[in-house]
C-alpha cells in the first residue's frame, strides 16, 4: 500500500471482487497534516442482498467514518498474505447540508398499547437526511423500484461497525455516505438497512419504499425476506450502546412488530431455519455483528418491546382477522395504521378497517381494488358492512359511511357518494327507475353529475340540491 494525499473525504471502505475469502483490510488516514494509527476494517460480507441479487455486487468492508481527512493508506490481503486483484479503496465525501443540524419533531402522545398498535416513533425521513433518490437508478432501472416482501415476521439487529464518537450533526452525512457506499461501491440497489439508530436515540428511515411497508432490505443475506433490519450506528464489540439508542431501537421494533401482530418473545421460521422474532445478525451467520456488547442486550430488548406493545394483540382488526381466519385474509402486508377517521390493515387478500362509528369491516376483490383506487377513507368513508348480492340479479354492492360501491359485469365497479348518493338511495338505489350508475361522478359547470342506465343525477352546488333527469324513451 502507498500513502496518498487526496481530496477531502469523510468515509473510507475497501472492496474487492465477490468470491475472495479471508480478506484482512486496514487503513490509516491523514487529518490536519497528521497520520492516524492503522485501523482494521471489519469485513461483513454476510450483510447485503440475498444470493439471488443481480450480478455486479462486490465484497467489501464495512465503511469507516473518519470525519475530515485528506490522505489515505490502505492494505487488503488474504489470510495467507497474498495481494488481491482489483481491490479498491473507496473514499466518500457526503458534504454538509443545511438540514444536518435539524432535530426531528417532538413525539405525539402515545395511545395505550391495549387499544391501538404501538405508534410509529419519531423518525428522520430520507428527505430530511438528504437521500439523493436519483442514486437508486445507479445500478439499473429495476433497482429504482422498491421491492416488497409478503409480511413482517422478524427484526434483525445490526451494528454498522463504525466509530462511536461521532457528533449529532455528523449523523445525516454518515447515513448519506453509507447509502453511497452500498450503491456505488457494493453494487446494491439502495441503503441496505431498513432503519438506523444513532447513539443519541434518533431513528432514521433507511431503504426506500415506505417505512410502514414490508420493504425488502439488504441487511441479512438469505434472511431479508419477511424481515427488517435495524442498524445501530457504531461498533459495539468493545463499547456498549447508549441507553437512548437501545430505547429508540426498542420503539422502532415495537412499532413494526405490533402493527403486524407479532410477538417479540416468539420464534419464527425464516429461510428454513427457526430464529427468534428479534434476533441479532450473528444468529443467522458466522459474524461478529452486532458486536458482543449489543448482542448481550437482545434479551432486554425483547422484554422491552413486549412491555411497550402490551404483551398481547387485542385490536378489533386483529380479532376480525382471527374470526375470518388468516388463511382467508392472508398475512398483514401494510400493518395496522391510522386512516383519516379510523384504522386499517391491508392483508394479503383483504383490507380490514375499523372505527368506533363504523365497526370493523373489510373490502375484498373488485371492491378492494376500486376502494384503494379512490383513496380509502376519503370519498366514501369507511365501510359499514361487507359486500353483498343485491335484489337485482348480477349486481353486488357495498355500503360505506358516505356512499356505496356498485358492481355488475356491464358497469364495472362504480362509486356513488355524498348528496348524490342520498338522492339515489331515496329513489330506491339499484332498484330505482335510474338503474345502475354507468360513470363515476364528474364535474359540470355548477357542481357534479353522474350518469345512470336510465338518466342522470346532478348536484347543484349553488342551490345545494340534487336534480334527477330521466332518459326519454322513444
Amino acid at each position: 500500500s502507498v500513502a496518498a494525499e487526496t481530496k477531502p473525504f469523510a468515509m473510507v471502505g475497501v472492496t474487492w471482487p465477490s468470491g475472495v475469502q479471508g480478506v484482512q483490510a486496514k487503513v490509516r488516514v491523514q487529518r490536519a497534516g497528521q497520520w492516524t494509527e492503522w485501523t482494521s476494517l471489519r469485513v461483513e460480507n454476510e450483510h447485503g442482498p440475498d444470493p439471488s441479487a443481480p450480478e455486479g455486487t462486490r465484497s467489501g468492508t464495512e465503511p469507516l467514518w473518519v470525519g475530515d481527512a485528506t490522505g489515505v493508506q490502505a492494505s487488503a490481503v488474504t489470510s495467507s498474505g497474498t495481494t488481491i486483484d482489483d481491490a479498491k479503496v473507496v473514499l466518500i465525501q457526503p458534504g454538509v447540508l443545511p438540514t444536518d443540524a435539524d432535530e426531528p419533531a417532538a413525539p405525539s402522545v402515545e395511545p395505550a398499547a391495549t387499544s391501538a398498535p404501538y405508534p410509529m416513533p419519531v423518525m428522520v425521513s430520507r428527505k430530511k437526511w438528504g437521500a439523493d433518490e436519483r442514486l437508486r437508478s445507479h445500478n439499473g432501472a429495476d433497482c429504482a423500484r422498491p421491492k416488497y416482501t409478503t409480511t413482517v415476521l422478524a427484526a434483525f439487529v445490526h451494528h454498522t461497525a463504525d466509530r462511536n464518537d461521532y457528533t449529532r450533526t455528523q449523523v445525516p452525512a454518515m447515513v448519506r455516505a453509507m447509502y453511497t457506499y452500498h450503491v456505488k461501491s457494493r453494487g446494491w440497489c439502495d441503503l441496505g438497512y431498513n432503519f438506523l439508530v444513532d447513539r443519541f436515540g434518533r431513528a432514521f428511515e433507511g431503504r426506500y419504499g415506505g417505512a410502514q411497508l414490508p420493504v425488502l432490505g439488504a441487511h441479512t443475506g438469505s434472511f431479508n425476506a419477511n424481515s427488517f433490519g435495524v442498524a445501530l450506528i457504531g461498533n459495539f464489540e468493545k463499547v456498549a450502546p447508549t441507553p437512548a439508542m437501545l430505547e429508540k431501537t426498542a420503539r422502532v421494533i415495537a412499532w413494526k412488530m405490533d402493527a403486524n401482530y407479532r410477538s417479540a418473545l416468539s420464534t419464527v421460521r425464516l429461510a428454513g431455519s427457526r430464529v427468534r422474532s428479534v434476533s441479532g445478525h450473528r444468529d443467522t451467520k458466522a459474524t461478529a455483528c452486532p458486536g458482543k456488547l449489543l448482542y448481550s442486550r437482545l434479551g432486554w430488548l425483547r422484554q422491552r418491546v413486549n412491555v411497550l406493545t402490551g404483551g398481547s394483540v387485542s385490536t378489533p382488526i386483529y380479532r376480525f382477522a382471527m374470526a375470518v381466519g388468516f388463511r382467508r385474509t392472508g398475512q398483514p402486508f401494510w400493518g395496522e395504521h391510522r386512516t383519516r377517521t379510523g384504522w386499517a390493515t391491508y392483508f394479503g387478500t383483504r383490507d380490514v378497517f375499523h372505527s368506533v362509528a363504523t365497526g370493523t369491516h373489510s373490502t375484498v376483490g373488485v371492491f378492494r381494488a376500486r376502494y384503494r383506487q379512490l383513496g380509502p377513507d376519503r370519498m366514501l368513508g369507511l365501510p359499514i358492512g361487507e359486500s353483498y348480492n343485491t335484489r337485482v340479479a348480477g349486481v353486488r354492492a357495498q355500503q360505506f359511511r358516505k356512499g356505496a360501491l356498485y358492481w355488475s359485469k356491464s358497469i364495472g365497479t362504480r362509486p356513488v357518494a355524498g348528496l348524490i348518493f342520498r338522492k339515489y338511495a331515496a329513489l330506491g338505489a339499484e332498484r330505482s327507475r335510474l338503474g345502475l350508475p354507468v360513470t363515476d361522478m364528474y364535474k359540470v359547470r355548477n357542481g357534479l353529475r353522474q350518469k345512470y342506465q336510465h338518466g342522470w343525477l346532478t348536484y347543484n352546488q349553488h342551490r345545494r340540491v340534487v336534480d334527477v333527469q330521466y332518459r326519454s324513451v322513444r
Side-chain angles (χ1 to χ4, degrees), residues 1 10 46 77 85 173 211 243 279 282 315 387 404 413 424 437 453:
S1 60
E46 300 301 344
V77 297
D85 292 335
S279 289
R282 68 170 63 178
T315 71
S387 61
T413 312
Y424 185 53
Q453 290 171 314

Side-chain angles (χ1 to χ4, degrees), residues 106-166:
S108 58
V109 177
E110 298 173 354
T114 54
S115 60
Y118 191 78
M120 180 178 178
V122 174
M123 190 172 296
V124 180
S125 68
R126 287 175 65 93
K127 182 178 180 180
K128 278 290 188 180
W129 59 255
D132 180 358
E133 301 300 357
R134 296 171 297 180
L135 191 57
R136 292 185 290 109
S137 300
H138 181 78
N139 293 314
D142 188 55
C143 268
R145 295 184 292 270
K147 296 177 177 63
Y148 298 96
T149 64
T150 303
T151 189
V152 168
L153 293 174
F156 286 106
V157 178
H158 303 262
H159 71 165
T160 61
D162 209 328
R163 301 171 65 95
N164 298 302
D165 59 354
Y166 51 83

Side-chain angles (χ1 to χ4, degrees), residues 166-230:
Y166 51 83
T167 67
R168 296 179 74 93
T169 57
Q170 286 176 330
V171 178
M174 294 175 75
V175 178
R176 291 196 298 274
M178 271 187 271
Y179 175 34
T180 301
Y181 181 74
H182 286 179
V183 173
K184 289 189 172 182
S185 303
R186 300 299 298 274
W188 303 354
C189 287
D190 194 351
L191 184 63
Y193 309 113
N194 297 98
F195 307 99
L196 302 98
V197 179
D198 70 12
R199 69 189 183 98
F200 308 102
R202 299 179 300 180
F204 292 75
E205 179 187 5
R207 180 159 284 221
Y208 179 86
Q212 293 181 313
L213 300 178
V215 178
L216 177 66
H219 50 84
T220 311
S222 298
F223 288 81
N224 291 315
N226 294 338
S227 71
F228 63 98
V230 184

Side-chain angles (χ1 to χ4, degrees), residues 334 337 339-341 344 346 351 353 363 367-383 400 402 405 415 417 440:
W334 183 352
H337 59 278
T339 70
R340 296 179 71 182
T341 62
Y346 290 8
D351 297 346
F353 301 87
T363 56
F367 294 99
R368 177 170 83 152
R370 193 68 214 273
Y371 189 54
R372 282 191 182 186
Q373 185 184 53
L374 294 169
D377 203 6
R378 290 187 178 274
M379 176 194 292
L380 295 171
L382 294 180
F400 296 82
K402 296 187 290 184
L405 284 171
D440 291 358

